[in-house]
Amino acid sequence: MGCIGSSQARNEGGARRKKIKKPKPWAHTEPITRAQLMNMREEFWDTAPHYGGQREIWDALRAAAEAELTLAQTIIDSAGVIVQTRDLTLCWDERGARYELPRYVLSEPTNLIREQGQ
């Protein structure tokens, strides 16, 4: 018997589903600009699928990384992504493929150089 007010939801297969959260604040090894950060992100998303896993899962992870938290949770749940770390830095698909996301695709560093007009 389970509790009626369980804090973790279950997916269709009955497995527990982790709620995702924003990553903890972090600093890049050296201050970078928003343009540099965007280039790093674009390079990661362009090359990540070549290291394994399914293209559809990579696409879902990218969409979740770029979305607000509530929408990101829906995307992750719909794609069948198994979240190991709640900040999405480590996930798995239903076939057992591993997906590691660097912090820079999930949030901005604390030492981001703010350009004028931002």
Side-chain angles (χ1 to χ4, degrees):
M1 294 181 80
C3 296
I4 293 175
S6 178
S7 63
Q8 284 189 332
R10 293 185 180 270
N11 64 14
E12 292 174 13
R16 287 186 182 215
R17 177 179 80 206
K18 286 187 181 179
K19 291 229 181 246
I20 60 173
K21 65 177 185 172
K22 290 185 176 187
K24 292 179 181 174
W26 63 280
H28 194 272
T29 53
E30 58 187 51
I32 59 172
T33 65
R34 182 172 304 283
Q36 290 172 309
L37 178 63
M38 298 310 286
N39 285 338
M40 290 169 58
R41 288 176 175 177
E42 202 58 44
E43 184 178 323
F44 173 80
W45 292 120
D46 286 346
T47 59
H50 300 290
Y51 294 102
Q54 300 176 64
R55 171 58 108 175
E56 298 80 15
I57 300 296
W58 284 114
D59 290 345
L61 289 170
R62 181 176 188 168
E66 295 172 353
E68 293 296 322
L69 209 52
T70 305
L71 179 57
Q73 183 74 56
T74 302
I75 293 167
I76 293 299
D77 294 343
S78 297
V81 174
I82 300 161
V83 177
Q84 183 164 336
T85 55
R86 294 178 61 202
D87 64 1
L88 294 181
T89 53
L90 182 57
C91 301
W92 303 83
D93 66 21
E94 294 168 337
R95 295 181 181 176
R98 180 182 174 127
Y99 300 83
E100 285 189 71
L101 301 183
R103 291 179 294 188
Y104 63 82
V105 301
L106 299 167
S107 65
E108 294 179 348
T110 56
N111 59 345
L112 184 69
I113 299 170
R114 303 282 179 196
E115 297 163 359
Q116 289 184 350
Q118 288 186 350

